[in-house]
């Protein structure tokens, strides 16, 4: 008996290496390849960005819902995310944005300075609850290792480690891999080396024994798109990011 298993893809890596662009491009490929499947994009980065890359507008976030629930429930502040969710499970669906071919939800930006732990606990449950209703989930993670450490990514089945050619970038993905081996129940893991300034730099990149899914050269058209505020659905089929991400998805047997 083969029960349906949702494929949960997530991108992780150092800041500014292309996580959001790649997550958005994954969503584009999935919607084009699987028009009949249920696809969900999650912006898990409090700094936001995935919505813009996908060309949509967000009105309600998971954090808005959390705040409302906390306000309306007595002792809301001191009760666990799980308890609160029991009472507000269905409310989560209010934060979903329906697009052509996919749905979208954003974690939002908690105003309180410092700790994102509360919203991260909440987010982990939200991923769990929503995943049951979708065939594919694509998560654009926060830069760095925090969300892996806090087990927010626990249920991820396909973990894409994104790096540029910098030493810092490759160090971060090697650290993430080590922690993910303990804390993420992934089926497949791999690296996308992005924004490579030249063909030969890949020979000098130290990514240990993690399989490489794609090398993506620096693509001037992407920067131009970014400047103009255009979304990934307008990127030409033959742009290096669109081609590279497709290759990565094929290597992971997602497409
Ligand atoms: N292959 C590429 N070639 C050229 N520019 C790229 C490439 N990939 C991404 N970029 C550009 O790099 C910048 C950062 O990309 P992006 O926002 O996707 O990174 P990020 O990892 O999500 O950053 P953050 O950690 O801040 O969320 C953007 O301006 C994007 O257009
Ligand atoms: Mg980003």
């Amino acid at each position: 008996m083969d029960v349906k298993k949702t494929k949960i893809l997530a991108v992780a890596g150092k800041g500014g290496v292309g996580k959001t662009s790649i997550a958005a491009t994954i969503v584009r490929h999935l919607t084009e390849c699987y028009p009949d499947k249920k696809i969900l994009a999650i912006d898990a980065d409090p700094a936001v960005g995935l919505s813009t890359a996908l060309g949509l507008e967000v009105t309600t976030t998971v954090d808005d819902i959390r705040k409302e629930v906390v306000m309306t429930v007595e002792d809301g502040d001191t009760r666990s995310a799980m308890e609160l969710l029991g009472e507000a499970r269905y409310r989560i669906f209010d934060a979903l944005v329906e697009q052509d071919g996919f749905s979208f939800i954003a974690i939002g930006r908690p105003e309180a300075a410092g700790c994102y732990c509360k919203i991260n606990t909440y987010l982990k449950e939200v991923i769990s609850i929503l995943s049951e209703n979708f065939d594919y989930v694509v998560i654009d993670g926060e830069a760095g290792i925090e969300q892996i450490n806090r087990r927010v990514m626990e249920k991820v089945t396909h973990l894409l480690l994104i790096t540029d050619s910098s030493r810092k970038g490759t160090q971060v993905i090697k650290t993430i891999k080590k922690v993910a081996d303990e804390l993420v129940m992934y089926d497949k893991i791999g690296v996308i080396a992005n924004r490579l300034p030249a063909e030969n730099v890949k020979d000098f990149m130290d990514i240990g024994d993690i399989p490489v899914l794609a090398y993506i050269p620096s693509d001037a058209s992407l920067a131009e798109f970014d400047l103009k505020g255009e979304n990934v659905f307008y990127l030409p089929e033959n742009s290096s990011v669109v081609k590279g991400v497709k290759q990565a998805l094929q290597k992971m047997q997602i497409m």
Side-chain angles (χ1 to χ4, degrees):
M1 204 173 63
D2 191 23
V3 284
K4 179 200 108 168
K5 192 174 178 220
T6 307
K7 294 193 168 66
I8 307 178
L9 293 74
V11 294
K14 176 178 97 71
V17 291
K19 297 180 297 298
T20 300
S21 314
I22 288 169
T25 309
I26 293 173
V27 173
R28 166 178 160 167
H29 281 305
L30 291 177
T31 55
E32 285 173 1
C33 190
Y34 303 114
D36 299 326
K37 296 281 185 196
K38 291 199 74 187
I39 298 161
L40 171 68
I42 301 181
D43 189 351
D45 186 356
V48 305
L50 186 62
S51 53
T52 316
L54 288 169
L56 55 91
E57 238 170 87
V58 183
T59 48
T60 309
T61 67
V62 171
D63 192 53
D64 294 333
I65 306 266
R66 183 187 68 87
K67 273 189 251 166
E68 270 176 50
V69 173
V70 167
M71 274 196 313
T72 52
V73 174
E74 215 184 323
D75 305 331
D77 230 5
T78 55
R79 293 166 61 182
S80 72
M82 270 304 273
E83 261 187 299
L84 290 177
L85 269 181
E87 288 165 53
R89 236 181 138 84
Y90 66 98
R91 301 279 311 273
I92 298 300
F93 293 86
D94 294 350
L96 279 178
V97 182
E98 302 296 339
Q99 288 292 109
D100 233 6
F102 68 99
S103 306
F104 175 89
I105 198 164
I107 177 184
R109 227 187 303 229
E111 289 120 32
C115 185
Y116 288 131
C117 4
K118 249 190 208 158
I119 192 71
N120 271 337
T121 325
Y122 214 76
L123 177 64
K124 184 180 158 189
E125 299 308 325
V126 167
I127 292 170
S128 243
I129 291 168
L130 289 178
S131 296
E132 289 168 19
N133 297 282
F134 290 88
D135 301 302
Y136 293 91
V137 176
V138 180
I139 307 173
D140 181 19
E142 185 186 13
I145 194 145
E146 185 72 3
Q147 289 179 332
I148 309 273
N149 261 333
R150 292 199 176 271
R151 297 174 189 260
V152 175
M153 301 296 174
E154 192 172 64
K155 295 232 165 103
V156 167
T157 58
H158 295 71
L159 187 58
L160 293 104
L161 305 173
I162 319 298
T163 184
D164 55 16
S165 56
S166 73
R167 181 154 298 254
K168 185 74 202 280
T170 56
Q171 262 164 5
V172 169
I173 59 166
K174 282 195 286 185
T175 309
I176 292 177
K177 165 74 164 54
K178 225 178 263 165
V179 180
D181 283 348
E182 301 292 323
L183 300 180
V184 180
M185 303 181 284
Y186 65 79
D187 297 331
K188 293 210 166 79
I189 194 165
V191 175
I192 297 183
N194 186 35
R195 295 190 82 165
L196 302 187
E199 172 73 22
N200 67 344
V201 294
K202 62 178 180 226
D203 304 334
F204 301 100
M205 288 175 65
D206 174 17
I207 47 173
D209 55 4
I210 320 171
V212 176
L213 304 167
Y215 294 102
I216 303 178
S218 189
D219 183 343
S221 70
L222 200 68
E224 199 186 313
F225 262 70
D226 206 49
L227 270 174
K228 290 187 190 154
E230 286 176 280
N231 65 65
V232 294
F233 291 94
Y234 292 98
L235 278 175
E237 199 82 47
N238 65 355
S239 83
S240 64
V241 175
V242 174
K243 282 196 301 191
V245 170
K246 185 176 197 173
Q247 190 196 339
L249 291 174
Q250 285 167 340
K251 280 222 175 122
M252 280 192 150
Q253 290 162 316
I254 289 287
M255 276 173 65

